[in-house]
Amino acid sequence: MKKFLTTVKDGTRDYMFGECAKIREISTELCGFVKPRGYAEIMTPTFEYADVFNIKAEDLFKFTDCKNRLMALRADCTTPIARVAATKLSDSPPPYRLFYCQSVFNASRKKLEQTDFGIELIGVDGIKADIEVLTVACEVLRKYFGEGYRLEIGHSGIYRRLCEEYGIDSDTAEEIRRMIETKNFAAIESLDIPDTIKALPKMFGGNEVLKDFRTLTNNKNTEKILSYLEKLYKTLSSLGFTVSFDLGLVRRPGYYTGIIFEGYVDSHGVSVLAGGRYDNLISEYGRDLKAIGFSVCVDEIFDALNQDLRKITVPDVMIYFTEDNIMKAYELAEILIRSGKTVVFSTETDAETARNQAKAKGIAEFIEVEK
Amino acid sequence: MKPLRIALTKGRLEQKTIELFESKNIECASLHDKGRKLIFSIDNGAAEVLLVKPADVITYVEHGICDMGIVGKDTIMEHGHSFYEIADLGFGKCRMALAGYPQDFYSGYKKRVVATKFEKIAREYFSKKNVDIETIKIEGSVEVAPILGFADAIVDIVETGTTLKENGLVVLEYICDISARLIVNTAAMKMRKKEVSAFAGRLGL
């Protein structure tokens, strides 16, 4: 009879053998990619006071500490890093280039636990900063998917400005936002709202959407945003990156203030990368710093690469010894390991069984230590 | 080029979908002689079709196993999460309604019990009205619950209203209109925009 539960919760998983190696390899490569670009690593606690997170309470995994204060598992990396930037970096002048690679626990995601890698460029705004972060995002996708990636850019100001311009109250704005987010063309068509807003969800594709949308609006602020996006497009294209636009990108985390972007790759049903500019978030932790960043889900990259890595690794050598020559066996193992081989000791008590076991496991070399 | 893969709802919407496709000159011969096959090639090999249960259409599309799907709005409201809902196909029309004995559902302070297959839809509807309800999940023939005094009312799809009438029940309130929708995986919409819009275009959307 089983005494303990033997299943894992939906949304969590075991990684096995080659999978572990691959996950670590991706993480290491990503970190190694941004370090020479001047980014420095931050690790934040696995759990913090729940109030640190700018995230809906229902999406946090919560518990209380011994004094009954409400704690939460790290549900996102940008907010704790905003806390660090606001409180711990005041003795050196911005900009700060930071990166992280750590697990996050968020109930709103399909993967309840996942490893997020990301960068934040804090304390600076303007096109150079935006281009820098967008470039790193493209490079990361290209590294794993060649030209089979697409970085899609939108701007959080477009929908916000339109709502202001037409005096749409916040409840209605949220309702329409959801329809735009799901590209629910039918529902939007049936609403009594300006055509400019109705057109938003259809405004995705190459840079032609910028021109298309320009014909629909004469709002000066929107005009400015469109010119800015056009400029980003030109610069990134000249650097050889594949970018597209979705002016109907109206993602929720309310903290975005400027460009927002998503990364997609071939034959993978969900976005693997997301980011944007958030100029007001850090001031909510007490220091006025503009910032932009993105995160990429390491597990999602792993899934998209779709490799079968569950094979158990076979050691190169098995060493069999009798108890009285254990010294010799351990010395031999040490020499072999130093020469780059993987070595296991047989735990059997007779040489013949050990030899058969080595054969069964597919271990190429079997050494019986002589006296 | 990989064929577009489309998840279709088995049963109620199936025939209408095939009619729509054929009226737009999308070849569907394999769907008339299904046998025990699960995946069908249509449009002379340009698309692939899966016939699955309503909630599964959403699962396949959300995970990107299928690029697009055709499914009822009721299923979207009950099981939907993240995908694009790009068109109302206009067939499979019916309404989601609150039904029960002809009396005021809201009178009194007693906690009301609603029997339904659509627990999420019922909960969201009443939460918007600031009314507390208890839902009981019933898979089929929900009408029987109020008759036996198991529930105060039901939330269900109403097409003609005949079943309600024959059991002495009436529609108390309409919750929303239901019809078949075309849904698209978010990544497919971006990565395969040309093919997806070409297909939607052929359906006259």
Side-chain angles (χ1 to χ4, degrees):
Chain A
M1 200 192 73
K2 282 193 292 188
K3 188 172 172 189
F4 299 112
L5 262 183
T6 51
T7 51
V8 300
K9 187 172 162 50
D10 265 8
T12 66
R13 69 196 281 183
D14 294 318
Y15 280 100
M16 292 173 72
F17 315 133
E19 296 178 333
C20 310
K22 190 72 198 176
I23 282 279
R24 282 189 199 281
E25 180 191 312
I26 298 170
S27 304
T28 312
E29 280 172 353
L30 290 170
C31 297
F33 181 74
V34 297
K35 269 185 214 161
R37 286 161 177 78
Y39 288 80
E41 185 165 11
I42 302 266
M43 286 185 188
T44 62
T46 306
F47 60 96
E48 300 207 34
Y49 292 119
D51 284 341
V52 166
F53 296 99
N54 182 342
I55 280 174
K56 273 196 294 179
E58 66 194 65
D59 295 334
L60 297 173
F61 287 95
K62 296 175 287 287
F63 54 99
T64 54
D65 71 357
C66 50
K67 289 180 180 163
N68 268 330
R69 285 170 300 199
L70 193 59
M71 311 299 295
L73 290 183
R74 189 196 302 124
D76 142 82
C77 294
T78 301
T79 44
I81 285 187
R83 170 185 61 71
V84 172
T87 54
K88 309 244 158 86
L89 300 176
S90 41
D91 56 347
S92 80
Y96 312 116
R97 288 181 170 81
L98 308 175
F99 78 90
Y100 54 83
C101 187
Q102 47 190 12
S103 42
V104 294
F105 308 84
N106 190 318
S108 74
R109 305 188 182 178
K110 279 222 166 78
K111 293 178 165 54
L112 297 180
E113 176 181 6
Q114 65 183 38
T115 303
D116 272 3
F117 165 87
I119 65 168
E120 314 287 353
L121 176 47
I122 297 173
V124 56
D125 63 354
I127 192 157
K128 278 190 177 176
D130 288 1
I131 290 282
E132 175 173 331
V133 171
L134 288 168
T135 308
V136 175
C138 288
E139 293 272 21
V140 162
L141 295 176
R142 182 187 271 172
K143 191 173 172 58
Y144 293 100
F145 305 100
E147 293 309 313
Y149 75 90
R150 183 152 310 164
L151 193 79
E152 187 186 65
I153 307 173
H155 198 292
S156 64
I158 293 178
Y159 180 58
R160 202 173 297 152
R161 292 271 153 70
L162 285 172
C163 288
E164 279 165 22
E165 185 183 343
Y166 296 111
I168 296 170
D169 68 84
S170 61
D171 282 351
T172 319
E174 173 58 18
E175 219 168 285
I176 302 172
R177 189 196 67 79
R178 236 174 287 152
M179 294 178 189
I180 297 176
E181 188 174 38
T182 57
K183 299 213 185 289
N184 194 332
F185 301 141
I188 289 172
E189 275 309 320
S190 70
L191 295 178
D192 183 25
I193 51 170
D195 288 343
T196 327
I197 296 181
K198 284 187 182 174
L200 264 188
K202 290 182 180 150
M203 291 293 145
F204 67 99
N207 67 329
E208 73 278 357
V209 304
L210 303 178
K211 290 182 199 95
D212 291 349
F213 195 64
R214 196 167 264 148
T215 62
L216 295 172
T217 173
N218 44 22
N219 181 313
K220 262 203 197 111
N221 288 315
T222 310
E223 186 67 33
K224 237 191 245 163
I225 291 172
L226 293 173
S227 308
Y228 187 72
L229 294 178
E230 184 73 51
K231 225 161 138 188
L232 288 180
Y233 181 82
K234 279 196 186 128
T235 314
L236 289 166
S237 304
S238 71
L239 290 168
F241 297 114
T242 320
V243 293
S244 55
F245 294 97
D246 186 356
L247 303 184
L249 205 57
V250 284
R251 212 180 314 132
R252 184 143 33 194
Y255 55 67
Y256 291 111
T257 55
I259 58 162
I260 39 184
F261 51 97
E262 289 292 327
Y264 295 97
V265 301
D266 275 342
S267 301
H268 195 61
V270 295
S271 87
V272 298
L273 181 151
R277 173 161 284 287
Y278 51 99
D279 286 346
N280 301 331
L281 176 69
I282 304 179
S283 70
E284 309 211 356
Y285 296 87
R287 200 173 160 209
D288 195 8
L289 290 168
K290 297 179 161 142
I292 177 169
F294 74 80
S295 75
V296 41
C297 177
V298 174
D299 310 71
E300 218 60 78
I301 291 190
F302 173 87
D303 285 349
L305 292 173
N306 197 20
Q307 295 170 346
D308 179 16
L309 300 165
R310 274 216 168 180
K311 287 173 213 104
I312 193 155
T313 39
V314 179
D316 302 315
V317 186
M318 181 183 269
I319 297 177
Y320 174 81
F321 60 94
T322 50
E323 275 174 47
D324 44 358
N325 53 23
I326 184 166
M327 284 284 282
K328 240 175 153 181
Y330 274 65
E331 273 165 22
L332 176 62
E334 203 48 45
I335 294 165
L336 289 169
I337 288 168
R338 254 183 246 146
S339 75
K341 300 213 162 159
T342 47
V343 181
V344 291
F345 294 115
S346 167
T347 48
E348 296 301 327
T349 45
D350 75 285
E352 209 34 51
T353 320
R355 190 183 298 277
N356 288 336
Q357 200 179 60
K359 208 180 271 173
K361 282 186 175 286
I363 300 171
E365 201 176 340
F366 180 83
I367 301 174
E368 187 178 345
V369 180
E370 307 283 336
K371 272 201 186 143
Chain B
M1 187 60 95
K2 252 185 7 181
L4 270 183
R5 199 181 286 153
I6 310 166
L8 300 187
T9 305
K10 245 197 251 186
R12 208 168 62 90
L13 299 178
E14 179 179 337
Q15 201 45 45
K16 296 265 187 192
T17 306
I18 296 172
E19 278 167 30
L20 169 71
F21 281 5
E22 290 186 330
S23 74
K24 306 292 181 188
N25 292 320
I26 295 167
E27 173 272 322
C28 294
S30 63
L31 288 172
H32 291 288
D33 179 25
K34 294 196 296 242
R36 281 173 176 259
K37 276 212 307 208
L38 301 168
I39 301 172
F40 307 90
S41 171
I42 63 161
D43 200 15
N44 304 312
E48 233 170 44
V49 160
L50 245 67
L51 275 174
V52 293
K53 290 207 168 179
D56 297 342
V57 171
I58 289 181
T59 308
Y60 284 117
V61 172
E62 274 189 352
H63 285 84
I65 303 304
C66 291
D67 300 302
M68 46 211 297
I70 292 179
V71 66
K73 181 69 180 173
D74 51 324
T75 314
I76 294 179
M77 290 167 73
E78 188 66 21
H79 301 282
H81 188 58
S82 59
F83 46 79
Y84 295 134
E85 178 187 332
I86 67 164
D88 182 345
L89 296 171
F91 60 79
K93 274 191 183 165
C94 52
R95 290 209 259 187
M96 188 62 71
L98 175 72
Y101 286 116
Q103 59 194 23
D104 185 4
F105 178 76
Y106 297 101
S107 69
Y109 295 102
K110 187 176 143 274
K111 187 160 190 180
R112 282 148 285 250
V113 179
V114 173
T116 182
K117 191 179 152 191
F118 304 97
E119 286 187 294
K120 188 176 164 210
I121 295 177
R123 258 188 244 116
E124 280 175 5
Y125 178 70
F126 286 106
S127 128
K128 267 191 204 148
K129 293 180 157 256
N130 299 319
V131 172
D132 289 336
I133 57 155
E134 189 182 313
T135 58
I136 294 176
K137 171 109 173 168
I138 304 275
E139 283 293 334
S141 303
V142 204
E143 295 82 1
V144 89
I147 296 172
L148 299 179
F150 187 33
D152 298 303
I154 60 170
V155 164
D156 203 12
I157 288 174
V158 178
E159 258 173 297
T160 56
T162 323
T163 323
L164 288 179
K165 211 187 223 168
E166 284 178 6
N167 289 291
L169 305 175
V170 294
V171 169
L172 299 172
E173 277 167 23
Y174 281 112
I175 295 178
C176 62
D177 291 321
I178 304 289
S179 58
R181 307 297 163 100
L182 180 64
I183 63 173
V184 180
N185 170 269
T186 43
M189 185 83 155
K190 306 299 166 61
M191 298 299 283
R192 309 187 72 177
K193 186 189 177 191
K194 267 191 197 138
E195 299 151 87
V196 169
S197 15
F199 194 86
R202 284 176 68 192
L203 296 180
L205 306 168

